[in-house]
Amino acid sequence: MEYKYGFSKDPALVEEYLKGGCLLTEEEGLWLAWESKPELVKEALPPVLDYVNPVVSVYVMRIGRTTFGPAFMESALMLTASYKGKVGMYAPSFLMYGPGAEAATVMGREIYGINKKYASDIRLTKTGDVVSASIERGGRLIFDTTCRLGQYNDEKAGMEAFGMPKKGDGGPGSAFFFTYEAQQQADKNMKFTAVHLNDTVSVTTHTEDWIPGAVEDIAMEESMNDPWSYFEVVKPIGCGYAHEELHMIEQIHHHNVGDPVANMAKLLNSKFDMPAFGMSTRILNAEFN
């Protein structure tokens, strides 16, 4: 395929867009999980999804190579849910940082409905058997943790949540994301008119053995835009240091699921910041003022 300079591209180029599915390789980072309160998890789920358990999981990863842009840092907060009996992951929040964050954020939203936003900083440090990770956005420390590799806080719960994957292990799994339709009305107000659920099937493969560990501490500062601290830590389950690759292979589209307003009410923090809904925000910074 010849890549012609300018805006008059060959229509055949359209057919090459993410051909074969998004592929993310050279992934390295931390996974961890804790038990939260069931009522908090239930309240956070869009009404078309059903509650499965009170486990909250987080990952903070360096995504080294992709089929859509440069390397970047990615973090996500995830819940287990089900749709019409099929179990998968639902992520109320994805935060991205680094050179490839723009491409990763835009393509996620356009294709799959992934709830992606830019973070101001995402850091991950592994020194010996100690791993620390932090996420900042909007002047708030959204997430900060220190873990020690060795064994899970709760061996039984850790094995249920993560297992003990070896190099080469992997398999498909579903993740539930949402797209929406919205139009501005004659009265100048916006109206959400439809919400669609995308069951995105991906194959994750471990490229090195998983290293289990224990969560030593978790701190989450309150944020109106990114309320990770909403999911209270009742009991740490454990963590793991992973090397992975992920291949998105299929998108199962469920059109116009449920009441659009009721579903969007649960997705607002996931997809937007609160100034879009009337909350005044002013950021003063000498670099920009």
Side-chain angles (χ1 to χ4, degrees):
M1 176 65 66
E2 182 180 351
Y3 296 94
K4 180 183 176 183
Y5 174 76
F7 293 95
S8 56
K9 301 296 188 193
D10 184 343
L13 190 60
V14 175
E15 302 298 326
E16 300 298 315
Y17 182 58
L18 294 178
K19 195 169 185 177
C22 291
L23 179 63
L24 294 80
T25 63
E26 298 179 16
E27 297 186 354
E28 178 181 351
L30 180 71
W31 285 79
L32 69 152
W34 67 89
E35 181 183 321
S36 190
K37 293 182 176 179
E39 60 268 26
L40 297 179
V41 175
K42 291 176 183 178
E43 183 66 20
L45 294 175
V48 298
L49 296 180
D50 293 320
Y51 170 83
V52 173
N53 62 42
V55 175
V56 178
S57 57
V58 166
Y59 69 76
V60 182
M61 305 281 288
R62 191 284 306 266
I63 314 295
R65 190 180 296 273
T66 77
T67 53
F68 51 80
F72 59 97
M73 298 294 293
E74 177 174 287
S75 59
L77 181 143
M78 298 181 295
L79 312 173
T80 307
S82 68
Y83 178 71
K84 294 185 175 180
K86 184 178 184 180
V87 176
M89 301 305 297
Y90 165 67
S93 180
F94 274 81
L95 299 176
M96 328 291 287
Y97 173 71
E102 179 180 10
T105 302
V106 171
M107 292 191 186
R109 285 182 175 176
E110 286 189 349
I111 302 172
Y112 307 110
I114 302 176
N115 304 317
K116 292 183 176 179
K117 297 180 181 179
Y118 298 106
S120 54
D121 192 26
I122 298 177
R123 293 178 181 266
L124 179 72
T125 303
K126 180 179 181 292
T127 305
D129 62 354
V130 176
V131 183
S132 59
S134 63
I135 306 165
E136 295 181 23
R137 187 173 188 271
R140 315 296 285 180
L141 187 61
I142 305 301
F143 187 77
D144 187 47
T145 187
T146 300
C147 300
R148 188 174 296 276
L149 303 179
Q151 61 184 31
Y152 296 131
N153 300 80
D154 182 320
E155 187 66 20
K156 183 176 182 294
M159 289 300 293
E160 290 176 354
F162 298 121
M164 199 70 67
K166 299 297 183 182
K167 181 178 180 178
D169 288 350
S174 286
F176 301 124
F177 304 123
F178 293 86
T179 52
Y180 63 89
E181 297 176 26
Q183 286 81 37
Q184 190 171 22
Q185 309 298 301
D187 61 4
K188 303 182 182 63
N189 295 326
M190 295 295 296
K191 183 177 181 180
F192 292 102
T193 56
V195 169
H196 315 296
L197 183 146
N198 297 307
D199 174 358
T200 302
V201 181
S202 300
V203 174
T204 300
T205 304
H206 292 266
T207 56
E208 299 289 345
D209 289 353
W210 171 274
I211 308 172
V215 180
E216 293 192 336
D217 62 72
I218 298 174
M220 296 178 283
E221 194 172 359
E222 283 193 5
S223 167
M224 290 296 293
N225 293 321
D226 309 286
W228 288 34
S229 63
Y230 170 84
F231 296 103
E232 181 181 331
V233 178
V234 173
K235 183 182 72 172
I237 291 174
C239 71
Y241 199 80
H243 295 77
E244 302 171 341
E245 63 180 33
L246 181 144
H247 191 189
M248 296 182 180
I249 60 171
E250 184 181 10
Q251 182 186 15
I252 304 167
H253 182 71
H254 301 279
H255 184 76
N256 202 6
V257 292
D259 176 47
V261 174
N263 281 296
M264 284 305 303
K266 303 297 184 179
L267 298 169
L268 297 185
N269 278 124
S270 300
K271 294 183 176 292
F272 310 106
D273 286 349
M274 290 302 97
F277 303 91
M279 176 174 282
S280 176
T281 298
R282 180 163 172 79
I283 300 173
L284 301 181
N285 186 306
E287 185 178 350
F288 302 109
N289 292 276

